[in-house]
Amino acid sequence: MSVKFSGDQNLEANLIDHEVTESLLVPQTKNCKRWLRVSMYAIFVIFCQPLATILGRLYYENGGKSTYVVTLLQLIGFPVLVLFRFFSRIRQPKSKDTNFSQSPSFSTLASVYMCTGLLVSASAYLSAFGLLYLPVSTFSLIMASQLAFTAFFSYFLNSQKFTPFIVNSLFLLTVSSALLVVNTVSENTTNVSRANYVIGFICTIGASAGIGLVLSLIQLLFRKVFTKHTSSAVLDLANYQSLIASCVVLIGLFASGEWKTLPSEMRNYKLGKMSYIFTLASAAISWQVYTVGCVGLIFESSSVFSNSITAVGLPIVPVVAVIVFHDKMDASKIFSIVLAIWGFLSFVYQHYLDEKKLKTCQTNPVEQNTQT
């Protein structure tokens, strides 16, 4: 009897050691896959957002005048993601969890998609006005202030903690945008009136605040509503909120009568009809891929981190704008770019510290169980 008991103890000890070993290996594998996804989403954000902004300005520069069209470009590319959504569903293994109590109801999902869609459409329309009246380099640098707005809204919605590095990041990005405001008069060498220039500033800041609110709200939704964190939830949110926002903008396009001018706008486009279609199609796809990357980073990390990755791509736009649109690159704008990059690096370092702390908290309980 004693021999059997000793054998059971050895078997139990071996099982415990096996479980501890698996618990150490599985999180490392999951963490590696997670950072691969984060890298993919970051590439989407860093490259597609500047490309879409440049294409939007290219539309204005060559005869385009419809702000509703530029707004729609940011939203209407979502059907491209249907195929991606289909293949991601095939690759995703079927869940063995039979607990469906966590799945949100239809009315809850409809309310979520409706609210976020309306906010996204308003932010997109304001940014279209800002891009119309401001040089693209100034517009992109002012949009960096969305990180400050995201942190502000996340403080109330997601209990975001303001560490010294985050405060430093927000301060630098705010100063970076403020420098552009001070330099407004000297930079306004275009035919845009000073009143429209001010409207462009206000609309861009409003769009930045709206994006910050949407990102913070999405992070809250992933904690409270989308408790089953899957790639399908990310894509569904991106698709349905874009669908709602696109419908709202289309109503505005037809109600305002701007749709009547689009055929003549295409005929008179300086680069030709095919370039007109290609510019609009490329901008729509770029904006939608950026949206997926942005929402994906919120899903994998936080809204503030998602916005900080967006800030990485913003300095790309002024450099390209100098080459393509011959925007003025003076000392204040260069200093503003340096501050924006510095602010981003400050936040990334804080995110690294948070990840390191989280990893330490996860490994300590395993070590204690091993000792036990």
Side-chain angles (χ1 to χ4, degrees), residues 12-24 27 360-372:
E12 184 178 357
N14 290 333
L15 289 174
I16 292 175
D17 291 339
H18 180 69
E19 289 176 357
V20 170
T21 303
E22 283 189 341
S23 65
L24 289 172
T360 303
C361 294
Q362 289 176 343
T363 54
N364 284 341
V366 174
E367 293 176 357
Q368 292 176 1
N369 290 334
T370 306
Q371 295 174 358
T372 303

Side-chain angles (χ1 to χ4, degrees), residues 106-182:
F106 175 79
S107 59
T108 301
L109 289 176
S111 301
V112 166
Y113 297 147
M114 182 67 69
C115 292
T116 56
L118 290 175
L119 288 173
V120 166
S121 63
S123 300
Y125 188 69
L126 289 174
S127 67
F129 256 105
L131 190 59
L132 173 64
Y133 293 134
L134 295 179
V136 66
S137 55
T138 304
F139 169 83
S140 62
L141 290 173
I142 292 177
M143 288 298 290
S145 64
Q146 65 186 255
L147 180 57
F149 285 111
T150 305
F152 173 78
F153 290 118
S154 292
Y155 176 79
F156 295 100
L157 296 178
N158 302 306
S159 301
Q160 174 72 44
K161 294 181 179 180
F162 283 170
T163 64
F165 287 106
I166 289 182
V167 172
N168 179 63
S169 176
L170 302 182
F171 174 76
L172 292 173
L173 290 170
T174 302
V175 173
S176 174
S177 299
L179 285 175
L180 299 175
V181 177
V182 173

Side-chain angles (χ1 to χ4, degrees), residues 5-310:
F5 181 73
S6 177
D8 290 341
Q9 282 184 327
N10 291 333
L11 178 60
E12 184 178 357
N14 290 333
L15 289 174
I16 292 175
D17 291 339
H18 180 69
E19 289 176 357
V20 170
T21 303
E22 283 189 341
S23 65
L24 289 172
L25 293 176
V26 172
Q28 291 179 357
T29 304
K30 289 184 178 180
N31 191 53
C32 181
K33 292 181 179 180
R34 173 180 175 271
W35 279 108
L36 285 175
R37 293 193 300 269
V38 168
S39 300
M40 181 186 67
Y41 289 139
I43 291 173
F44 288 170
V45 172
I46 292 173
F47 291 101
C48 290
Q49 192 261 358
L51 175 61
T53 304
I54 292 295
L55 289 172
R57 187 62 200 177
L58 186 67
Y59 164 80
Y60 282 137
E61 289 285 333
N62 291 279
K65 298 178 181 179
S66 176
T67 54
Y68 280 106
V69 167
V70 175
T71 305
L72 202 59
L73 293 179
Q74 303 175 46
L75 308 168
I76 205 167
F78 68 91
V80 177
L81 300 175
V82 174
L83 189 61
F84 180 71
R85 169 71 172 83
F86 175 74
F87 281 111
S88 66
R89 188 173 183 178
I90 292 178
R91 291 195 305 267
Q92 187 176 354
K94 294 182 179 180
S95 176
K96 297 180 180 180
D97 186 9
T98 58
N99 183 16
F100 296 97
S101 60
Q102 294 181 347
S103 300
S105 63
F106 175 79
S107 59
T108 301
L109 289 176
S111 301
V112 166
Y113 297 147
M114 182 67 69
C115 292
T116 56
L118 290 175
L119 288 173
V120 166
S121 63
S123 300
Y125 188 69
L126 289 174
S127 67
F129 256 105
L131 190 59
L132 173 64
Y133 293 134
L134 295 179
V136 66
S137 55
T138 304
F139 169 83
S140 62
L141 290 173
I142 292 177
M143 288 298 290
S145 64
Q146 65 186 255
L147 180 57
F149 285 111
T150 305
F152 173 78
F153 290 118
S154 292
Y155 176 79
F156 295 100
L157 296 178
N158 302 306
S159 301
Q160 174 72 44
K161 294 181 179 180
F162 283 170
T163 64
F165 287 106
I166 289 182
V167 172
N168 179 63
S169 176
L170 302 182
F171 174 76
L172 292 173
L173 290 170
T174 302
V175 173
S176 174
S177 299
L179 285 175
L180 299 175
V181 177
V182 173
N183 198 43
T184 298
V185 178
S186 61
E187 186 188 29
N188 189 7
T189 57
T190 62
N191 295 326
V192 178
S193 65
R194 186 171 182 178
N196 288 337
Y197 212 73
V198 172
I199 292 174
F201 265 111
I202 295 174
C203 289
T204 305
I205 293 174
S208 180
I211 293 173
L213 177 59
V214 170
L215 292 177
S216 300
L217 184 59
I218 289 175
Q219 184 179 353
L220 177 65
L221 291 173
F222 275 121
R223 288 195 299 110
K224 301 294 186 180
V225 179
F226 301 104
T227 53
K228 292 184 179 180
H229 293 178
T230 62
S231 59
S232 299
V234 175
L235 290 171
D236 285 342
L237 178 60
N239 280 324
Y240 285 117
Q241 74 177 15
S242 296
L243 173 62
I244 297 297
S246 298
C247 292
V248 173
V249 176
L250 282 173
I251 292 173
L253 176 65
F254 285 98
S256 64
E258 282 190 11
W259 65 277
K260 298 178 181 179
T261 63
L262 296 183
S264 61
E265 184 177 275
M266 182 186 299
R267 289 193 301 268
N268 299 325
Y269 195 67
K270 294 179 182 179
L271 301 179
K273 293 182 180 180
M274 292 303 299
S275 296
Y276 180 87
I277 296 173
F278 181 77
T279 299
L280 298 185
S282 300
I285 295 173
S286 299
W287 274 122
Q288 198 57 40
V289 175
Y290 159 77
T291 300
V292 172
C294 194
V295 176
L297 289 176
I298 296 172
F299 168 68
E300 296 292 346
S301 180
S302 68
S303 58
V304 178
F305 180 69
S306 176
N307 238 344
S308 67
I309 294 297
T310 302

